[in-house]
Short mmCIF file of all heavy atoms in Angstrom, two decimals:
data_model
loop_
_atom_site.label_atom_id
_atom_site.label_comp_id
_atom_site.label_asym_id
_atom_site.label_seq_id
_atom_site.Cartn_x
_atom_site.Cartn_y
_atom_site.Cartn_z
N VAL K 1 16.68 19.22 41.67
CA VAL K 1 15.80 19.92 40.74
C VAL K 1 14.35 19.68 41.13
O VAL K 1 13.85 18.57 41.03
CB VAL K 1 16.04 19.45 39.29
CG1 VAL K 1 15.09 20.18 38.34
CG2 VAL K 1 17.48 19.70 38.89
N VAL K 2 13.71 20.71 41.62
CA VAL K 2 12.30 20.58 42.00
C VAL K 2 11.43 20.79 40.78
O VAL K 2 11.89 21.24 39.73
CB VAL K 2 11.93 21.61 43.09
CG1 VAL K 2 12.71 21.34 44.36
CG2 VAL K 2 12.18 23.03 42.60
N LYS K 3 10.16 20.44 40.92
CA LYS K 3 9.23 20.61 39.81
C LYS K 3 9.25 22.07 39.35
O LYS K 3 9.18 22.99 40.16
CB LYS K 3 7.83 20.20 40.24
CG LYS K 3 6.85 20.07 39.10
CD LYS K 3 5.55 19.43 39.57
CE LYS K 3 4.60 19.24 38.40
NZ LYS K 3 3.35 18.56 38.84
N CYS K 4 9.34 22.27 38.05
CA CYS K 4 9.62 23.61 37.53
C CYS K 4 8.57 24.01 36.49
O CYS K 4 8.09 23.18 35.72
CB CYS K 4 11.01 23.62 36.89
SG CYS K 4 11.40 25.14 36.01
N THR K 5 8.22 25.27 36.48
CA THR K 5 7.43 25.86 35.40
C THR K 5 8.22 27.01 34.81
O THR K 5 8.99 27.68 35.51
CB THR K 5 6.07 26.37 35.90
OG1 THR K 5 6.29 27.31 36.96
CG2 THR K 5 5.21 25.22 36.41
N VAL K 6 8.06 27.24 33.53
CA VAL K 6 8.79 28.30 32.83
C VAL K 6 8.09 29.62 33.05
O VAL K 6 6.94 29.81 32.62
CB VAL K 6 8.91 27.98 31.32
CG1 VAL K 6 9.57 29.14 30.59
CG2 VAL K 6 9.69 26.69 31.12
N SER K 7 8.75 30.56 33.73
CA SER K 7 8.15 31.86 34.03
C SER K 7 8.52 32.94 33.02
O SER K 7 7.85 33.96 32.94
CB SER K 7 8.56 32.31 35.44
OG SER K 7 9.97 32.43 35.54
N GLN K 8 9.58 32.71 32.27
CA GLN K 8 10.00 33.65 31.22
C GLN K 8 10.20 32.91 29.90
O GLN K 8 11.32 32.59 29.51
CB GLN K 8 11.30 34.36 31.63
CG GLN K 8 11.15 35.26 32.85
CD GLN K 8 12.44 36.02 33.15
OE1 GLN K 8 13.23 36.32 32.26
NE2 GLN K 8 12.64 36.35 34.42
N PRO K 9 9.11 32.60 29.20
CA PRO K 9 9.20 31.78 27.98
C PRO K 9 10.02 32.41 26.86
O PRO K 9 10.48 31.70 25.95
CB PRO K 9 7.73 31.59 27.57
CG PRO K 9 6.99 32.71 28.25
CD PRO K 9 7.72 32.96 29.52
N LYS K 10 10.23 33.73 26.92
CA LYS K 10 11.05 34.36 25.88
C LYS K 10 12.53 34.00 26.03
O LYS K 10 13.31 34.13 25.09
CB LYS K 10 10.87 35.87 25.91
CG LYS K 10 9.49 36.33 25.44
CD LYS K 10 9.40 37.84 25.39
CE LYS K 10 8.03 38.29 24.88
NZ LYS K 10 7.91 39.77 24.82
N GLU K 11 12.91 33.57 27.24
CA GLU K 11 14.27 33.09 27.48
C GLU K 11 14.31 31.61 27.14
O GLU K 11 13.51 30.83 27.65
CB GLU K 11 14.68 33.30 28.93
CG GLU K 11 15.01 34.72 29.29
CD GLU K 11 16.32 35.18 28.67
OE1 GLU K 11 17.20 34.33 28.41
OE2 GLU K 11 16.46 36.39 28.43
N LYS K 12 15.24 31.22 26.27
CA LYS K 12 15.28 29.82 25.86
C LYS K 12 16.71 29.37 25.63
O LYS K 12 17.41 29.90 24.77
CB LYS K 12 14.46 29.59 24.60
CG LYS K 12 14.40 28.13 24.16
CD LYS K 12 13.51 27.96 22.94
CE LYS K 12 13.39 26.49 22.55
NZ LYS K 12 12.50 26.30 21.37
N VAL K 13 17.14 28.36 26.40
CA VAL K 13 18.42 27.71 26.18
C VAL K 13 18.19 26.48 25.32
O VAL K 13 17.35 25.63 25.65
CB VAL K 13 19.08 27.29 27.51
CG1 VAL K 13 20.30 26.40 27.24
CG2 VAL K 13 19.51 28.51 28.31
N VAL K 14 18.92 26.40 24.23
CA VAL K 14 18.91 25.19 23.41
C VAL K 14 20.30 24.57 23.48
O VAL K 14 21.31 25.27 23.33
CB VAL K 14 18.53 25.49 21.95
CG1 VAL K 14 18.62 24.22 21.10
CG2 VAL K 14 17.12 26.06 21.88
N VAL K 15 20.36 23.28 23.73
CA VAL K 15 21.65 22.59 23.80
C VAL K 15 21.68 21.51 22.73
O VAL K 15 20.72 20.74 22.58
CB VAL K 15 21.91 22.00 25.21
CG1 VAL K 15 20.76 21.17 25.69
CG2 VAL K 15 23.19 21.19 25.24
N ILE K 16 22.76 21.49 21.96
CA ILE K 16 22.94 20.49 20.90
C ILE K 16 23.82 19.38 21.44
O ILE K 16 25.00 19.58 21.72
CB ILE K 16 23.60 21.14 19.66
CG1 ILE K 16 22.71 22.25 19.10
CG2 ILE K 16 23.86 20.08 18.58
CD1 ILE K 16 23.36 23.05 17.98
N GLY K 17 23.24 18.20 21.61
CA GLY K 17 23.98 17.06 22.14
C GLY K 17 23.32 16.51 23.39
O GLY K 17 22.66 17.25 24.13
N GLY K 18 23.53 15.23 23.64
CA GLY K 18 22.89 14.59 24.77
C GLY K 18 23.84 13.79 25.62
O GLY K 18 23.56 12.65 25.98
N GLY K 19 24.98 14.39 25.99
CA GLY K 19 25.98 13.69 26.78
C GLY K 19 26.18 14.29 28.15
O GLY K 19 25.30 14.95 28.72
N SER K 20 27.39 14.08 28.69
CA SER K 20 27.69 14.51 30.05
C SER K 20 27.62 16.02 30.22
O SER K 20 27.15 16.52 31.23
CB SER K 20 29.09 14.01 30.45
OG SER K 20 29.43 14.43 31.74
N GLY K 21 28.11 16.77 29.23
CA GLY K 21 28.06 18.22 29.32
C GLY K 21 26.63 18.72 29.41
O GLY K 21 26.33 19.66 30.16
N THR K 22 25.75 18.09 28.65
CA THR K 22 24.34 18.47 28.68
C THR K 22 23.72 18.16 30.04
O THR K 22 22.95 18.96 30.58
CB THR K 22 23.57 17.73 27.57
OG1 THR K 22 24.12 18.11 26.31
CG2 THR K 22 22.10 18.09 27.59
N LEU K 23 24.07 17.01 30.62
CA LEU K 23 23.56 16.66 31.94
C LEU K 23 23.96 17.72 32.97
O LEU K 23 23.12 18.20 33.75
CB LEU K 23 24.10 15.30 32.37
CG LEU K 23 23.70 14.84 33.78
CD1 LEU K 23 22.20 14.61 33.87
CD2 LEU K 23 24.46 13.57 34.16
N GLY K 24 25.23 18.10 33.00
CA GLY K 24 25.68 19.13 33.93
C GLY K 24 24.98 20.45 33.71
O GLY K 24 24.59 21.14 34.66
N LEU K 25 24.79 20.81 32.44
CA LEU K 25 24.17 22.09 32.10
C LEU K 25 22.72 22.16 32.56
O LEU K 25 22.33 23.08 33.28
CB LEU K 25 24.23 22.28 30.58
CG LEU K 25 23.46 23.50 30.08
CD1 LEU K 25 24.33 24.74 30.17
CD2 LEU K 25 22.96 23.30 28.66
N ILE K 26 21.91 21.18 32.14
CA ILE K 26 20.47 21.30 32.40
C ILE K 26 20.16 21.18 33.88
O ILE K 26 19.28 21.88 34.40
CB ILE K 26 19.66 20.26 31.59
CG1 ILE K 26 20.08 18.83 31.95
CG2 ILE K 26 19.81 20.52 30.09
CD1 ILE K 26 19.22 17.76 31.28
N GLN K 27 20.90 20.32 34.58
CA GLN K 27 20.64 20.20 36.01
C GLN K 27 21.02 21.48 36.74
O GLN K 27 20.26 21.97 37.59
CB GLN K 27 21.40 19.02 36.60
CG GLN K 27 21.16 18.88 38.10
CD GLN K 27 21.46 17.48 38.61
OE1 GLN K 27 20.89 16.51 38.15
NE2 GLN K 27 22.37 17.40 39.56
N ALA K 28 22.17 22.05 36.41
CA ALA K 28 22.60 23.28 37.08
C ALA K 28 21.69 24.45 36.75
O ALA K 28 21.42 25.30 37.60
CB ALA K 28 24.05 23.60 36.71
N LEU K 29 21.20 24.52 35.51
CA LEU K 29 20.27 25.59 35.16
C LEU K 29 19.04 25.57 36.06
O LEU K 29 18.60 26.61 36.57
CB LEU K 29 19.83 25.46 33.69
CG LEU K 29 20.83 25.92 32.63
CD1 LEU K 29 20.32 25.56 31.24
CD2 LEU K 29 21.09 27.43 32.72
N ARG K 30 18.50 24.39 36.29
CA ARG K 30 17.30 24.31 37.13
C ARG K 30 17.65 24.47 38.62
O ARG K 30 16.88 25.06 39.38
CB ARG K 30 16.57 22.99 36.89
CG ARG K 30 15.87 22.91 35.52
CD ARG K 30 14.99 24.11 35.29
NE ARG K 30 14.15 23.99 34.09
CZ ARG K 30 13.85 25.01 33.30
NH1 ARG K 30 14.33 26.24 33.59
NH2 ARG K 30 13.08 24.84 32.26
N GLU K 31 18.82 23.99 39.04
CA GLU K 31 19.25 24.23 40.42
C GLU K 31 19.34 25.73 40.70
O GLU K 31 18.98 26.20 41.79
CB GLU K 31 20.63 23.61 40.66
CG GLU K 31 20.67 22.10 40.74
CD GLU K 31 22.10 21.59 40.79
OE1 GLU K 31 23.02 22.38 41.06
OE2 GLU K 31 22.30 20.40 40.53
N LEU K 32 19.82 26.48 39.70
CA LEU K 32 20.03 27.92 39.86
C LEU K 32 18.80 28.74 39.50
O LEU K 32 18.87 29.96 39.40
CB LEU K 32 21.22 28.35 38.98
CG LEU K 32 22.57 27.74 39.37
CD1 LEU K 32 23.62 28.02 38.29
CD2 LEU K 32 23.04 28.24 40.72
N LYS K 33 17.67 28.06 39.31
CA LYS K 33 16.38 28.70 39.07
C LYS K 33 16.33 29.47 37.75
O LYS K 33 15.69 30.53 37.66
CB LYS K 33 16.01 29.65 40.23
CG LYS K 33 16.17 29.05 41.62
CD LYS K 33 15.31 27.83 41.84
CE LYS K 33 15.44 27.29 43.26
NZ LYS K 33 14.74 25.99 43.45
N TYR K 34 16.97 28.95 36.73
CA TYR K 34 16.84 29.58 35.41
C TYR K 34 15.36 29.60 35.03
O TYR K 34 14.69 28.56 35.04
CB TYR K 34 17.65 28.79 34.38
CG TYR K 34 17.46 29.27 32.96
CD1 TYR K 34 17.95 30.51 32.56
CD2 TYR K 34 16.76 28.50 32.03
CE1 TYR K 34 17.76 30.97 31.26
CE2 TYR K 34 16.58 28.95 30.73
CZ TYR K 34 17.07 30.18 30.35
OH TYR K 34 16.88 30.62 29.06
N PRO K 35 14.82 30.78 34.67
CA PRO K 35 13.37 30.90 34.48
C PRO K 35 12.87 30.57 33.08
O PRO K 35 11.66 30.57 32.84
CB PRO K 35 13.12 32.38 34.79
CG PRO K 35 14.38 33.05 34.31
CD PRO K 35 15.50 32.08 34.61
N GLY K 36 13.79 30.32 32.15
CA GLY K 36 13.39 30.14 30.76
C GLY K 36 13.18 28.69 30.36
O GLY K 36 13.29 27.77 31.17
N ALA K 37 12.87 28.51 29.09
CA ALA K 37 12.68 27.18 28.53
C ALA K 37 14.04 26.53 28.24
O ALA K 37 15.04 27.22 28.03
CB ALA K 37 11.86 27.28 27.25
N ILE K 38 14.06 25.21 28.24
CA ILE K 38 15.27 24.45 27.92
C ILE K 38 14.89 23.37 26.92
O ILE K 38 13.94 22.62 27.14
CB ILE K 38 15.90 23.80 29.16
CG1 ILE K 38 16.26 24.84 30.21
CG2 ILE K 38 17.14 22.99 28.78
CD1 ILE K 38 16.75 24.25 31.53
N THR K 39 15.66 23.29 25.84
CA THR K 39 15.43 22.26 24.81
C THR K 39 16.74 21.55 24.51
O THR K 39 17.77 22.20 24.30
CB THR K 39 14.87 22.88 23.51
OG1 THR K 39 13.60 23.45 23.77
CG2 THR K 39 14.72 21.82 22.42
#
């Protein structure tokens, strides 16, 4: 995951929970260049 800036702020992924599933999700989103915000 390289340093990232949000290019499409209207796109927003919110994840409820802070475990292994969340780790896989947020890292893969940034690996795949998801342009939106993540919370």
Side-chain angles (χ1 to χ4, degrees):
V1 179
V2 296
K3 192 170 183 178
C4 172
T5 56
V6 175
S7 60
Q8 295 185 29
K10 290 184 178 180
E11 285 289 332
K12 183 177 183 179
V13 170
V14 176
V15 52
I16 299 173
S20 179
T22 299
L23 177 66
L25 173 85
I26 60 175
Q27 179 159 302
L29 282 172
R30 289 309 188 216
E31 288 172 16
L32 296 170
K33 312 300 183 187
Y34 174 69
I38 301 174
T39 297

